[in-house]
Amino acid sequence: MPVTPTRWLAEYAWLPEHAEPTPDVLIEVEDGRISVVTPLTPGSRPPAGVEVYGDAVPLPGLTLPGLANVHSHAFHRALRGRTHGGRGDFWTWRDQMYAVADRLDPDTYLALARAVYAEMALAGITCVGEFHYLHHRPDGGAYDDPNAMGAALVEAAAHAGIRLTLLDACYLSSSVDGQALTGPQRRFGDGDAARWAERAAAFQPADSHARVGAAVHSVRAVPADQLDKIAEWARDRPAPLHVHLSEQPAENDECRAVHGRSPTALLAEHGVLGPGTTAVHATHPTSVDLTLLADSRTGVCLCPTTERDLADGIGPARLMADAGIGLSLGSDSHAVIDLFEEARAVELDERLRTRRRGHFAPLDLLTAASVAGHAALGWTDAGRIAVGARADLVTVRLDSSRTAGVPPVGAFFAATAGDVEQVMVDGRVVVADGRHLGVDVPAELSAAIEAVIAS
Ligand SMILES: [Zn+2]
């Protein structure tokens, strides 16, 4: 194994709370943590091309803190480009997604997730929140190890060199009124929340790159009388708790018809909301819902490229931010894995809705993509280039055909995942010269997807 240098000289680095990147920052790394962050004074900067800081390795371009992908279903990556041409909506897409789910086992899922997480590493993602509900065999029976699928995901993240929060999702019913799981959904279910809790508690990966959190799949998939148990499980640990919320107007309508209240109000009543909770999507909340989310300090993970792809609608991002709701970002269905695109979509979608510009500052977008995302996944010591933080450094080229001539502060409006040149996770370089050091990403993606797509 090549030894990773411990002193770096970033041409630009985006430091915490700074409105724009700082030039010429010396960053030192020790035992996976950032130990020194020193912006050089103008007089002490090295002349162009001259190395005056001994063994400090130059990082040309813009160095960002690690990006966090807060919402992932790794197997959805197999559907990219296969479901986008025709008509249909979320529900027709879901049927295609179930067909892939039906073909996965711990081995094929390990191969697919390893390639998907490596694609994420290439995009500058140092941590992923995997919202995991493919727990059992296709007929609903448990594997010999009931957490074999979760273990495959943890191992996949280790191969890809990124951290993972396994958000173990409770998924019990197929509709808001509690219909049983059928067909491909059978493998998602544990029967009830108590059995879910037992299985989830038994999964304790020893690997330092992984932690376990909880998830309520949605108010469709968890009956109201099972919600408290899941909330309690997460609160007791404490562990992050995530929930799909109001992605579809139909979910709101059904919840009102069955429970006489919105999904957000139902979750609030059963203790699901709170500072450790992240609501995913929240695309169609009422103003009362927003108050419930804000008052309980529940965060929201927006997934703009998925919401765009599935014709879900545009979440009220500015209203949420104004209410004090912390925003993070996820690539969810992986139609796109590019947090630059997710981040700028938060601003650009708001422009489309309001026909005005300038809703979010570049620092707001960086915060959502980095420190807020890591916090939503339980890694409160990551996502900042600061002394003591985990040494996650993502260096973006400023000389590509897309970024040449772009000021560093404009990177979130110009760069793509393809402009990421180097990625360090916990002090270890996993991407160099734009290539993953352990995984042949295109080849492994092709092979893994071919193995699970119906012929
Ligand atoms: Zn999702």
Side-chain angles (χ1 to χ4, degrees):
M1 277 294 282
V3 176
T4 298
T6 57
R7 303 181 82 219
W8 304 87
L9 184 55
E11 185 182 4
Y12 292 93
W14 208 326
L15 304 179
E17 313 302 333
H18 283 53
E20 47 186 279
T22 300
D24 301 319
V25 179
L26 186 70
I27 302 168
E28 293 188 14
V29 173
E30 208 177 313
D31 294 333
R33 300 266 169 179
I34 296 171
S35 55
V36 170
V37 179
T38 307
L40 304 184
T41 55
S44 68
R45 285 177 194 167
V50 176
E51 179 52 76
V52 296
Y53 278 86
D55 55 353
V57 177
L59 288 174
L62 168 62
T63 295
L64 301 172
L67 307 180
N69 189 359
V70 173
H71 192 64
S72 161
H73 308 282
F75 73 97
H76 291 191
R77 173 65 178 82
L79 296 168
R80 185 186 295 175
R82 293 173 192 279
T83 65
H84 308 292
R87 282 178 173 278
D89 56 13
F90 172 87
W91 308 101
T92 48
W93 168 85
R94 195 179 70 159
D95 289 339
Q96 294 166 297
M97 181 265 283
Y98 282 171
V100 172
D102 213 26
R103 285 183 178 77
L104 288 163
D105 61 29
D107 292 332
T108 51
Y109 207 7
L110 169 61
L112 177 58
R114 160 187 154 101
V116 174
Y117 294 156
E119 181 186 353
M120 290 185 194
L122 284 175
I125 291 162
T126 54
C127 185
V128 60
E130 180 66 32
F131 196 108
H132 169 56
Y133 53 86
L134 273 179
H135 301 305
H136 303 297
R137 295 179 192 275
D139 65 2
Y143 287 104
D144 294 341
D145 168 5
N147 287 303
M149 292 293 260
L153 293 164
V154 167
E155 189 180 345
H159 292 181
I162 68 173
R163 290 189 303 277
L164 171 134
T165 298
L166 189 82
L167 298 157
D168 192 308
C170 185
Y171 197 129
L172 305 172
S173 59
S174 65
S175 64
V176 177
D177 60 358
Q179 299 290 311
L181 301 177
T182 56
Q185 296 175 329
R186 283 176 300 168
R187 68 186 312 186
F188 308 163
D190 290 294
D192 58 31
R195 274 175 280 177
W196 164 85
E198 199 180 318
R199 183 186 51 70
F203 187 49
Q204 293 173 340
D207 323 63
S208 61
H209 75 287
R211 63 183 347 133
V212 176
V216 168
H217 180 276
S218 60
V219 298
R220 277 183 282 120
V222 180
D225 64 0
Q226 303 292 302
L227 289 169
D228 304 79
K229 176 82 190 169
I230 305 164
E232 184 190 305
W233 189 96
R235 246 194 330 271
D236 284 353
R237 285 181 151 61
L241 173 60
H242 287 216
V243 53
H244 286 129
L245 179 66
S246 293
E247 182 175 7
Q248 295 296 320
E251 177 187 300
N252 289 357
D253 297 344
E254 287 162 21
C255 193
R256 279 212 171 71
V258 174
H259 298 293
R261 62 212 69 202
S262 72
T264 305
L266 187 70
L267 295 178
E269 220 171 84
H270 290 277
V272 175
L273 304 186
T277 300
T278 297
V280 180
H281 300 298
T283 307
H284 303 283
T286 64
S287 56
V288 175
D289 292 340
L290 290 182
T291 303
L292 286 170
L293 293 170
D295 287 352
S296 60
R297 292 169 48 222
T298 301
V300 166
C301 173
L302 303 167
C303 306
T305 66
T306 294
E307 287 140 14
R308 177 194 299 170
D309 183 59
L310 295 177
D312 285 343
I314 301 170
R318 189 62 253 172
L319 277 179
M320 291 183 195
D322 288 343
I325 297 169
L327 301 178
S328 56
L329 299 168
S331 64
D332 189 7
S333 68
H334 309 318
V336 174
I337 294 178
D338 185 340
L339 283 198
F340 298 98
E341 179 64 23
E342 303 292 347
R344 65 176 153 263
V346 174
E347 164 67 18
L348 297 179
D349 288 356
E350 202 73 19
R351 291 183 188 179
L352 283 175
R353 191 213 328 263
T354 60
R355 289 183 287 161
R356 280 186 294 107
R357 295 160 57 94
H359 303 274
F360 291 91
L363 176 61
D364 299 331
L365 304 183
L366 172 68
T367 299
S370 56
V371 65
H374 279 96
L377 295 174
W379 305 88
T380 50
D381 55 354
R384 306 163 81 237
I385 300 178
V387 172
R390 288 174 178 273
D392 298 350
L393 299 174
V394 174
T395 303
V396 182
R397 289 177 62 166
L398 292 174
D399 63 352
S400 76
S401 52
R402 289 166 294 274
T403 57
V406 172
V409 71
F412 272 95
F413 286 96
T416 70
D419 298 314
V420 172
E421 181 75 355
Q422 179 173 303
V423 179
M424 178 194 295
V425 185
D426 287 326
R428 201 163 66 91
V429 173
V430 297
V431 171
D433 302 324
R435 299 181 76 82
H436 197 284
L437 296 180
V439 178
D440 181 343
V441 178
E444 293 202 19
L445 279 171
S446 299
I449 290 170
E450 196 179 333
V452 297
I453 287 293
S455 50

